[in-house]
Amino acid sequence: MAHGSVTDRAVEALTRLVRDVPDFPEPGVLFKDITPLLADAAGFSAVVEGLAAAGRDASGATRVDKVLGMEARGFILAAPVALSLGVGFVPVRKAGKLPHDTHSVAYALEYGEAVLELHQDAVAPGERVLVVDDVLATGGTARATHDLVTACGATTASFAFLMELGFLDGRAALGDVPSTALLTV
Ligand SMILES: O=P(O)(O)OC[C@H]1O[C@H](OP(=O)(O)OP(=O)(O)O)[C@H](O)[C@@H]1O
Ligand SMILES: Nc1ncnc2[nH]cnc12
């Protein structure tokens, strides 16, 4: 079975490059550490191209206006995805980091609570964006990002994740927005 543009063989190889760290950052959380995968040139490249496929139509044409990534791990993946698609990259940052006027949303994630912000003029009304992140866990981060996009008058065309933690049912938080994950655990 293929997962988006990633074959079964690639899924096995990528899964081996993600390290499980028990009880980080707090007891009871099994942390999925993607740093070994990022350090592997072939793995990193396969992930970027697999995620970028969510921003293309069947003919291979880019069908989004911007790629958004969430601080911090989302930046690492979303920026090269934007370059691959030939569109701009927009950072969604934790509170207090963006210098100009922002929209702001408080949210909860698997191990805490935080606030995410987006520059009000970072995406234009009517634009379609691809939201890229490394992990979909509870969906709190992704949902907050979608709400920020909506506050700008733009549309989340799709979410693309490297890894989905299926047992946390994060997809339930994403409503009707299409979502793909290269790996599911
Ligand atoms: O689905 P959720 O429960 O919201 O969890 C997923 C989010 O958690 C992690 O980010 P984190 O806030 O730990 O920030 P980091 O990228 O700076 O490590 C991860 O990169 C996702 O953005
Ligand atoms: N279990 C987990 N591993 C890595 N990143 C995460 N973000 C939220 N939950 C996570």
Side-chain angles (χ1 to χ4, degrees):
M1 182 180 66
H3 305 248
S5 63
V6 179
T7 62
D8 267 354
R9 207 166 141 213
V11 165
E12 283 167 28
L14 295 174
T15 301
R16 277 197 298 274
L17 288 166
V18 177
R19 174 166 55 194
D20 284 353
V21 182
D23 300 320
F24 182 89
E26 59 187 38
V29 176
L30 181 62
F31 192 85
K32 297 290 182 178
D33 176 17
I34 65 166
T35 61
L37 193 162
L38 297 173
D40 183 284
F44 191 11
S45 178
V47 165
V48 169
E49 284 316 305
L51 295 171
R56 297 193 172 99
D57 65 19
S59 74
T62 296
R63 61 181 183 94
V64 294
D65 302 301
K66 296 272 170 37
V67 176
L68 269 61
M70 297 82 119
E71 186 175 359
R73 282 173 270 153
F75 292 174
I76 299 166
L77 301 177
V81 167
L83 290 177
S84 176
L85 291 173
V87 300
F89 164 73
V90 174
V92 176
R93 297 212 61 179
K94 305 265 168 72
K97 299 290 187 181
L98 288 171
H100 200 54
D101 296 338
T102 60
H103 293 297
S104 190
V105 172
Y107 67 102
L109 70 158
E110 191 185 4
Y111 38 70
E113 295 177 359
V115 173
L116 280 179
E117 295 183 341
L118 175 63
H119 273 147
Q120 291 179 8
D121 61 358
V123 286
E127 282 193 321
R128 290 163 45 80
V129 308
L130 172 65
V131 174
V132 171
D133 206 353
D134 64 330
V135 173
L136 174 66
T138 65
T141 305
R143 178 71 210 196
T145 300
H146 172 64
D147 291 344
L148 290 168
V149 169
T150 303
C152 290
T155 299
T156 306
S158 184
F159 292 101
F161 303 97
L162 164 56
M163 174 168 293
E164 175 176 358
L165 309 185
F167 57 94
L168 290 173
D169 197 23
R171 276 183 195 242
L174 307 184
D176 294 335
V177 181
S179 173
T180 60
L182 303 183
L183 312 177
T184 302
V185 295

